[in-house]
Amino acid sequence: DALPNIGIWRGVRLEGWSHACLHSLRLDTVLHHDRVFLEMEAVVENLHPWSERACVMDLEIQPPSGGAVVAHRYPVDTPPGRTVLRDTFEIPDAQLWWPNGMGDQPLYGVSARVRDAGGATGDARQFNIGLRTIDIDRSHLSEGSRFCIRVNGQDVFCHGGNIGPHDAILARISDAKYEALVSEAKNANMNMLRINGCSIYEGPAFYDACDRAGILVWHDFMLTCTTYPEENTA
């Protein structure tokens, strides 16, 4: 029988909210000498078409080895649509995340929730982050310029491999396969994997495994090698 490798192969769900939800949450690391800060940008969305709603966003950062939780509370009156919350706060005794071979990979637990005026939780997120900065040094040389990835201000000698879909039938790519692939990359002393533009957006288990193993991910735009018609077909 034919087994076409097309269509939906991951889970699909329908979500509904009766109050405000957390549309997105971004936490960027900022290093200032020996102090570490997080820049937060959260987007709270009020899905009601005309009524303003009072709510509270709670954010907690759990250190990798236990200890005191960094907690912040943001009361906000949300008009219909999206409201942006921004803040910058320090992480005491911060433990930095490093690529494989350059140090450890401590991960902080993040918990965020949006509650209504009565205290009922309308939306919640939980995930892990590593505290690190990443930038590309393009400083000028006598001929041309550098192209050097820097993590936490230190140059990284990137050595790794290029990966594509792990199976011709995408639905057979399990979390265990992701774990095995990343573990093998770490044991081979790799610190980067590149996902090319002919591949797929990997499942969350892949990126979580890379976080734990100290593997950087160079991610191309999908379909970048595809030929598109240049004429205006409108």
Side-chain angles (χ1 to χ4, degrees), residues 26 32 35 51 58 62 68 70 77 86 99 116 135 161 166 194 231:
R26 183 182 179 93
H32 185 69
R35 302 171 68 185
S51 295
D58 290 313
Q62 174 68 58
V70 178
D77 293 326
R86 293 186 177 91
D116 62 22
D135 60 90
H166 312 279
R194 171 180 175 257
E231 67 274 9

Side-chain angles (χ1 to χ4, degrees), residues 103-159:
D104 297 328
Q105 295 80 41
L107 297 176
Y108 285 71
V110 177
S111 176
R113 63 174 181 165
V114 176
R115 298 181 293 108
D116 62 22
T121 299
D123 195 8
R125 302 277 182 89
Q126 288 186 327
F127 55 92
N128 295 323
I129 61 170
L131 303 182
R132 82 292 177 270
T133 62
I134 299 179
D135 60 90
I136 299 178
D137 181 4
R138 297 301 311 278
S139 57
H140 291 289
L141 301 174
S142 57
E143 294 184 6
S145 62
R146 297 192 77 199
F147 190 96
C148 179
I149 292 177
R150 297 168 60 87
V151 174
N152 302 327
Q154 295 193 22
D155 293 357
V156 179
F157 180 78
C158 298
H159 40 99

